[in-house]
Amino acid sequence: MLGLILRRLRPHSGSSDLVLAASGRSFSGLSSAAVRSSFISFFRDKHAHLPVSSSPVRPREDRSLLFVNAGMNQFKPLFLGTADPRSEMASYRRVVNSQKCVRAGGKHNDLDDVGRDGTHHTFFEMLGNWSFGDYFKEEACQMAWSLLTEHYGIPADRLYISYFGGDAATGLPADEETRRVWLEVGVPPHRLLPFGLRDNFWEMGDTGPCGPCTEIHYDHVGGRDAAALVNADTPDVVEIWNLVFMQYNREADQSLRLLPQFSVDTGMGLERLVGVLQGKTSNYDTDLFTPLLHAIHQRSGVEAYRGRVGVADDGQVDMAYRVVADHIRTLTVCITDGVHPGMSGAELILRRILRRAVRFCTEVLRAPQGVLASLVPTVVDILGDAYPELQHEVDRVMDVINENEDQFLSSLQRGTRIINRTLQKGDHRPGLFPASVAWTLNRDLGFPLDLVDLILEEKGVRVDRQELDQIMAQNHKASSDLHSSVLSPLTLDVLSLAELRHLGVPHTDDSPKYEYGLEQDRYVFPKCQATVLALYDGGALVPEVPEGRVCCVVLDRTCFYAEAGGQSHDHGYLTVDGQQDVVHPVDAVVRVGGYVVHQVTPSDRLKTGDQVHLHLDQVHRLSLMVNHTSTHLLNFALRTIFGPSVQQRGSHVSSDRLRFDFSVKGPLSVSQLQQVEQCVKDIIAANQEVHVQEVPLQMAQRIGGLRTVDEVYPDPVRVVSVGVPVSELLEGRGDRETSVELCCGTHLKRTGLVQDLVIVSEKQLVRGVSRVVAVTGLDAKRAQEAGQALSQEVDSLSVRLTSSAPSTLDSAHRLSREAGVLSDAVDNTPVPQWQRRYLQETLRTLTRRSNTVVRKMETREAAVRAQSLLEENGRKQLMVVAMDTDSQSVLMKTVNQLSSLLPSSHVMLLAHQMHSGKVLLACQVPTDFPSLSASDWATAVCRHLGGSSGGSALVAKGMVSCSDVGEVARWAEEFIRQKMQQ
């Protein structure tokens, strides 16, 4: 395998001269860590910006992204006007940070380019400063110029500025304001260059905030007029900073409207900036990468890194260095942030990154297995001070990488065997390898398609590319259809939200959602009345909405819970005062920028000012409360059993079940599942009080044992504690471990109402992350009853199989089928997961035992049948006869037995299958009969009379649609006689 790859890897064409031409000048002598920290301090100390930590690379509740790919991602709620006014984010005006970013997959995908040059990366750091309704173009440009030329000391004659030059087709004018600002800063006119929409107009998506941008470009060579090389994709004139001025909103009809609040979003790649300041044209020659490249060399079997690219990089050794150095940074950051190699979405992209790194590491750099994971501590040494979370996850990250590398290398071996076996079967068009097999190898085993091509090329075969393209297109369409079928609820856009604020519409008072009580063991939900303050029809705020028109309703107060924190929204309906018989169903509830938005399909006209009554589906709400409180108990139990290393990776609470994702090394054992369940049951049985208190966020974060997730919390925040009053926890007086979390969800007053909890599913989503699904109350009771019933059936089958051997083949088949039916039931019925695991293992043992009994009885019966047929028909060169059986297996075994008695004979046995009305056939030909294979014989019969067949050169089987055994026998015998005479 290694030899094949080394022989076939193609070098990337192109000259390396420009990429390697460095000026040799260093303007500041700063280390990468100092460059990063001085950027933050410049804006913090000189320009009053608030430093904000990087968000994880897994996007926060943003389905449009696979990874965080820009510094602005975490601030989208501010650009869109949807930030919770109670959160710290809502107060941001001037912000600065260094954001971890990944560009691999989706719209921004640099994966395939990584390694080919010195500038592309999958993981990078984005330095940025933001203004949300504070300063705009003049201050942004002045600060950027000051930082680069004065603070970092970059010569102004190396810098070129691009700005938006307008677009005649859309009628957008040139950004003359920005041009004027740069001229006032001192940029010469010949270095101030206009460009069009593609280069200098930034858009968040098909709709939403957007605006012109101005970019600062750096000439690595200097001493020349490089204006013509700006935006020309040359490696020695590069963009280093992009300043985006958010001033428009792109509407659904593609028109532009001015935003009520202008914002600034800037982004500068740390890797490029460090390259400029350290006098390097390749980012890989900076101190962000050189320690990694040195570590790779120490562990590899090749020469040291020399920075070659293109045709100069013989064997792509330096490309391999760059790929491994880049990819191990991405793997370390992503796994730390909860993205693990997997089978879909971001996880699938990360799996591809890991496997690409493994291939270059083992095949080109000739490093032993395990080297990739051993580079993680070096990554943490480089990045850990800026992102402390990396320092706490080193061992876990290394374990995940090692496990996935081992799995990939095993998949390579298995995939190679599948390829060879497919080629040996020969049931494909000459010279073409089945595209379906290649796609399955790639999708299920992660076997790279280019590796399939290389292996096949050595054998003179190629993948059917046309068929493969069709399969990939169908798969992409299916994924797109699935994604598009998940409809987002109708909600307010940025302009409508701004209009509400301008009109003075107060934020929704949703405190009534918590105003329920427990009276005599019954939950009481008080009535709620409200006034319609605003209606939105999907395009604009309107005074009224007609019957049947889906709309957003904003009320002054509501008792409905808006979907948040993993908890589903409430169900119910509205009625207008005086029209109690007209029900307006509430289809969805979301919270946007302080307003609770009810998606309603009116059954009659709705208008602003209507007085409405809110009717909550109390059964649905109570189920949500039960399951949300149970989720907290489950989280606590997992931490109790497995220790503090358990981290929540996601959750969802619905009325019928709860789902909880968490980090853990491997699947839970039967014993561990029982321990987790029992821990939860003990708390339920104790009927502990659930304490809830709203406290300042900073104070809450000091509580010992507090569980949090990556969310933007309001301030003040609700603290939910089981069994211990929050006031005691705040005072440090909690004398025992308990469940305590920050949570905006609705909860029970006491744990007893949960009644019971059963984990009905547990599986590893990816290596290192498990998902449990649990049910509560009556559903838990039903699951236990179903488990008990299935357990009794399995015990009964076990007794019948072990007490005495079946007396007939029919009875053996019945027991075998019963084991199969029970296995399906155990797999698919909601039962306790620990019990499912036990029953599955028991059934596997019983199935093996019953199959062994069936095989032995079939072999004995086949021997008797073969001997009887031989006695009836004698030793003929050709034997085509019928026998009485419903079993294809018995038929095949009889043919085998008969052929061993008649090695020089052509034998075909037929049987009329009673339940299908079709004819079974099995045949065998002598080993020294070259003119016809057994599979050709069976295929000819089935093709002529209708049916299907399969087999090899010596033995084959089939099923014929014809019900006349005699007709099948006559045609089969006539066909083989003709072949024997040729």
Side-chain angles (χ1 to χ4, degrees):
M1 176 74 72
L2 293 181
L4 170 64
I5 301 303
L6 290 172
R7 289 197 305 274
R8 307 306 295 176
L9 282 171
R10 303 277 194 261
H12 180 65
S13 62
S15 171
S16 63
D17 296 340
L18 286 177
V19 177
L20 295 177
S23 67
R25 296 182 60 182
S26 176
F27 303 118
S28 68
L30 293 175
S31 67
S32 57
V35 172
R36 185 194 298 111
S37 62
S38 63
F39 180 90
I40 302 294
S41 62
F42 174 84
F43 284 99
R44 179 192 63 210
D45 300 339
K46 292 192 172 186
H47 299 286
H49 283 60
L50 174 71
V52 173
S53 299
S54 170
S55 68
V57 294
R58 179 187 287 279
R60 292 174 176 148
E61 300 181 359
D62 189 343
R63 295 181 181 179
S64 68
L65 295 173
L66 291 170
F67 299 98
V68 166
N69 59 19
M72 57 78 60
N73 290 160
Q74 70 166 309
F75 304 118
K76 281 177 72 172
L78 286 172
F79 293 124
L80 296 171
T82 60
D84 189 331
R86 302 167 300 170
S87 67
E88 182 186 12
M89 180 181 287
S91 67
Y92 291 167
R93 291 297 175 265
R94 297 181 174 211
V95 166
V96 62
N97 87 336
S98 177
Q99 173 64 48
K100 299 174 292 185
C101 298
V102 173
R103 288 189 177 175
K107 179 181 177 182
H108 300 287
N109 182 8
D110 291 340
L111 177 55
D112 292 331
D113 293 321
V114 169
R116 298 187 185 280
D117 57 29
T119 59
H120 281 92
H121 306 289
T122 51
F123 167 77
F124 65 97
E125 299 176 68
M126 184 72 85
L127 304 174
N129 60 289
W130 288 267
S131 164
F132 306 108
D134 193 327
Y135 60 83
F136 201 44
K137 296 178 181 180
E138 183 173 359
E139 296 91 333
C141 295
Q142 290 171 346
M143 287 187 281
W145 191 257
S146 172
L147 176 69
L148 294 180
T149 61
E150 299 170 10
H151 191 75
Y152 288 137
I154 298 176
D157 62 6
R158 293 288 190 96
L159 300 176
Y160 294 80
I161 309 296
S162 66
Y163 70 97
F164 180 57
D167 183 74
T170 59
L172 274 173
D175 188 3
E176 292 294 338
E177 180 184 358
T178 296
R179 183 176 185 277
R180 176 186 56 78
V181 169
W182 283 122
L183 289 172
E184 292 174 354
V185 166
V187 178
H190 68 278
R191 291 177 178 271
L192 197 50
L193 311 171
F195 286 88
L197 283 170
R198 186 176 70 88
D199 294 303
N200 281 91
F201 194 90
W202 188 91
E203 307 210 34
M204 185 181 294
D206 294 334
T207 60
C210 57
C213 63
T214 183
E215 297 173 328
I216 304 174
H217 303 256
Y218 174 78
D219 177 15
H220 276 284
V221 177
R224 60 177 180 169
D225 182 1
L229 300 178
V230 171
N231 283 335
D233 199 26
T234 58
D236 55 344
V237 177
V238 295
E239 173 215 328
I240 57 173
W241 205 347
N242 186 12
L243 286 63
V244 179
F245 305 124
M246 301 269 199
Q247 61 189 78
Y248 299 110
N249 189 68
R250 177 74 73 180
E251 300 293 302
D253 63 3
Q254 295 304 293
S255 64
L256 292 174
R257 294 172 63 188
L258 283 175
L259 289 168
Q261 172 181 286
F262 292 176
S263 298
V264 175
D265 161 20
T266 84
M268 177 161 55
L270 175 67
E271 292 77 9
R272 283 194 184 179
L273 177 61
V274 171
V276 167
L277 296 178
Q278 295 182 359
K280 310 295 184 183
T281 53
S282 170
N283 299 340
Y284 293 91
D285 292 332
T286 69
D287 66 350
L288 284 166
F289 289 92
T290 49
L292 265 175
L293 297 172
H294 178 68
I296 294 168
H297 176 238
Q298 288 182 318
R299 296 160 172 79
S300 72
V302 296
E303 62 187 341
Y305 178 70
R306 293 169 58 189
R308 299 163 298 179
V309 299
V311 294
D313 184 14
D314 186 38
Q316 294 191 326
V317 172
D318 286 343
M319 177 178 176
Y321 268 106
R322 290 187 290 269
V323 167
V324 173
D326 171 87
H327 288 7
I328 190 59
R329 283 164 36 108
T330 305
L331 290 164
T332 301
V333 170
C334 285
I335 295 170
T336 298
D337 283 352
V339 183
H340 290 63
M343 293 296 289
S344 63
E347 286 76 12
L348 180 60
I349 300 297
L350 196 64
R351 184 178 77 159
R352 185 182 172 199
I353 290 172
L354 184 143
R355 295 184 170 196
R356 190 169 187 254
V358 169
R359 288 180 61 198
F360 275 99
C361 204
T362 59
E363 296 166 359
V364 182
L365 298 176
R366 301 202 296 273
Q369 184 175 347
V371 161
L372 189 63
S374 75
L375 299 172
V376 171
T378 306
V379 175
V380 175
D381 286 343
I382 299 170
L383 301 176
D385 288 341
Y387 310 108
E389 62 272 14
L390 299 177
Q391 300 172 357
H392 308 308
E393 299 283 353
V394 175
D395 291 340
R396 185 177 68 83
V397 172
M398 292 177 67
D399 286 344
V400 171
I401 292 174
N402 277 326
E403 289 171 4
N404 278 274
E405 179 179 20
D406 183 63
Q407 183 186 45
F408 177 49
L409 295 175
S410 298
S411 296
L412 286 180
Q413 296 176 351
R414 183 180 171 197
T416 303
R417 290 196 300 269
I418 291 173
I419 290 172
N420 291 332
R421 188 162 63 245
T422 302
L423 292 172
Q424 289 168 5
K425 286 172 63 178
D427 53 354
H428 51 83
R429 286 187 286 170
L432 290 178
F433 188 80
S436 58
V437 177
W439 174 248
T440 300
L441 285 170
N442 179 258
R443 180 194 60 197
D444 297 340
L445 294 184
F447 201 98
L449 289 172
D450 60 338
L451 185 53
V452 175
D453 290 335
L454 289 175
I455 294 173
L456 294 178
E457 188 177 337
E458 289 287 310
K459 300 176 183 295
V461 180
R462 62 183 177 85
V463 175
D464 188 334
R465 184 58 57 178
Q466 183 177 358
E467 183 187 355
L468 181 61
D469 289 344
Q470 291 175 348
I471 293 173
M472 294 175 71
Q474 291 168 358
N475 181 76
H476 178 72
K477 183 178 184 301
S479 300
S480 300
D481 290 347
L482 181 63
H483 187 267
S484 62
S485 67
V486 181
L487 298 176
S488 298
L490 181 66
T491 188
L492 300 169
D493 66 7
V494 61
L495 295 176
S496 298
L497 285 166
E499 187 176 351
L500 287 178
R501 298 184 186 107
H502 177 72
L503 294 172
V505 176
H507 293 147
T508 310
D509 173 14
D510 63 350
S511 59
K513 68 187 179 186
Y514 299 126
E515 294 173 359
Y516 52 88
L518 183 60
E519 299 177 6
Q520 298 180 345
D521 295 330
R522 289 179 59 86
Y523 280 84
V524 177
F525 298 89
K527 294 180 180 180
C528 184
Q529 293 178 268
T531 302
V532 177
L533 298 182
L535 295 168
Y536 176 73
D537 66 357
L541 296 177
V542 293
E544 64 178 57
V545 178
E547 176 186 348
R549 177 71 178 269
V550 177
C551 66
C552 294
V553 179
V554 175
L555 307 172
D556 62 335
R557 62 197 306 267
T558 183
C559 60
F560 280 72
Y561 182 84
E563 183 150 353
Q567 180 177 323
S568 297
H569 62 80
D570 281 335
H571 291 176
Y573 59 92
L574 310 178
T575 58
V576 177
D577 201 11
Q579 302 176 25
Q580 300 303 315
D581 295 334
V582 181
V583 172
H584 305 281
V586 176
D587 304 317
V589 188
V590 294
R591 186 181 182 92
V592 183
Y595 298 102
V596 175
V597 178
H598 306 73
Q599 181 178 305
V600 174
T601 305
S603 300
D604 199 347
R605 185 180 63 168
L606 269 180
K607 60 184 186 297
T608 55
D610 279 344
Q611 302 297 305
V612 295
H613 300 266
L614 287 74
H615 302 266
L616 183 69
D617 184 335
Q618 297 182 10
V619 173
H620 180 265
R621 159 66 82 83
L622 190 55
S623 297
L624 289 171
M625 290 161 54
V626 167
N627 287 341
H628 203 150
T629 300
S630 299
T631 303
H632 284 217
L633 303 184
L634 180 61
N635 191 359
F636 173 74
L638 288 166
R639 188 179 178 118
T640 300
I641 303 302
F642 296 102
S645 64
V646 169
Q647 296 295 324
Q648 179 176 339
R649 296 300 184 192
S651 67
H652 188 259
V653 177
S654 59
S655 60
D656 60 342
R657 61 183 53 204
L658 60 98
R659 187 194 75 213
F660 192 80
D661 303 341
F662 60 99
S663 59
V664 68
K665 191 165 185 178
L668 275 60
S669 67
V670 168
S671 172
Q672 289 169 332
L673 286 165
Q674 290 174 317
Q675 289 177 61
V676 171
E677 272 193 15
Q678 191 57 52
C679 182
V680 176
K681 291 174 187 288
D682 289 344
I683 301 174
I684 295 170
N687 196 24
Q688 294 185 9
E689 186 173 353
V690 179
H691 301 271
V692 181
Q693 185 176 330
E694 197 171 79
V695 299
L697 180 59
Q698 284 191 337
M699 186 183 298
Q701 290 172 331
R702 294 197 293 266
I703 294 175
L706 179 73
R707 306 307 304 273
T708 61
V709 294
D710 178 46
E711 289 184 5
V712 177
Y713 290 103
D715 189 6
V717 65
R718 287 167 63 85
V719 179
V720 179
S721 170
V722 177
V724 179
V726 176
S727 57
E728 292 185 12
L729 295 173
L730 291 170
E731 295 168 3
R733 293 192 291 114
D735 58 353
R736 62 183 175 85
E737 288 288 318
T738 188
S739 166
V740 55
E741 301 187 28
L742 305 184
C743 183
C744 64
T746 55
H747 287 273
L748 298 175
K749 298 293 185 181
R750 306 194 73 90
T751 62
L753 190 66
V754 177
Q755 297 178 355
D756 204 352
L757 178 140
V758 168
I759 297 172
V760 295
S761 173
E762 186 275 330
K763 62 180 180 181
Q764 288 251 298
L765 295 177
V766 292
R767 287 179 178 265
V769 177
S770 275
R771 167 172 290 178
V772 294
V773 175
V775 293
T776 57
L778 288 176
D779 289 330
K781 181 180 179 182
R782 294 188 189 102
Q784 290 170 321
E785 291 172 347
Q788 187 61 34
L790 285 171
S791 180
Q792 291 173 356
E793 292 187 52
V794 172
D795 289 343
S796 171
L797 177 63
S798 178
V799 169
R800 282 177 285 148
L801 272 172
T802 55
S803 60
S804 60
S807 56
T808 66
L809 183 57
D810 283 344
S811 61
H813 275 302
R814 280 196 299 272
L815 289 174
S816 180
R817 285 193 296 269
E818 187 176 342
V821 170
L822 270 178
S823 293
D824 287 342
V826 168
D827 290 345
N828 298 303
T829 304
V831 298
Q833 182 66 10
W834 66 263
Q835 191 172 32
R836 188 193 318 277
R837 294 258 176 87
Y838 170 77
L839 293 177
Q840 286 171 332
E841 183 57 38
T842 301
L843 283 167
R844 279 193 288 268
T845 301
L846 294 177
T847 299
R848 286 194 296 269
R849 184 177 299 164
S850 67
N851 288 343
T852 299
V853 170
V854 167
R855 281 195 301 272
K856 288 180 178 179
M857 296 186 74
E858 286 180 343
T859 300
R860 286 198 298 269
E861 181 169 334
V864 173
R865 296 288 190 95
Q867 188 62 43
S868 175
L869 289 170
L870 183 61
E871 292 172 357
E872 292 175 9
N873 296 278
R875 294 181 174 275
K876 297 178 180 179
Q877 188 181 9
L878 172 62
M879 185 184 297
V880 180
V881 295
M883 61 177 280
D884 183 23
T885 183
D886 257 9
S887 169
Q888 181 80 70
S889 179
V890 171
L891 198 67
M892 284 291 292
K893 286 181 171 64
T894 305
V895 163
N896 292 336
Q897 296 270 6
L898 199 54
S899 296
S900 65
L901 297 173
L902 302 170
S904 300
S905 298
H906 292 75
V907 178
M908 177 177 283
L909 298 182
L910 308 168
H912 183 264
Q913 193 175 46
M914 297 299 294
H915 70 272
S916 70
K918 297 181 180 180
V919 174
L920 305 175
L921 68 83
C923 63
Q924 194 158 328
V925 300
T927 56
D928 57 355
F929 186 71
S931 60
L932 185 73
S933 68
S935 61
D936 289 342
W937 190 10
T939 298
V941 174
C942 292
R943 184 178 293 135
H944 179 73
L945 297 169
S948 59
S949 64
S952 64
L954 296 180
V955 63
K957 62 181 179 179
M959 177 180 285
V960 182
S961 299
C962 175
S963 61
D964 187 344
V965 176
E967 172 64 17
V968 178
R970 283 191 298 275
W971 198 91
E973 186 170 343
E974 180 181 343
F975 175 83
I976 195 64
R977 285 191 187 281
Q978 291 176 359
K979 294 296 182 180
M980 292 170 67
Q981 291 169 5
Q982 290 176 356

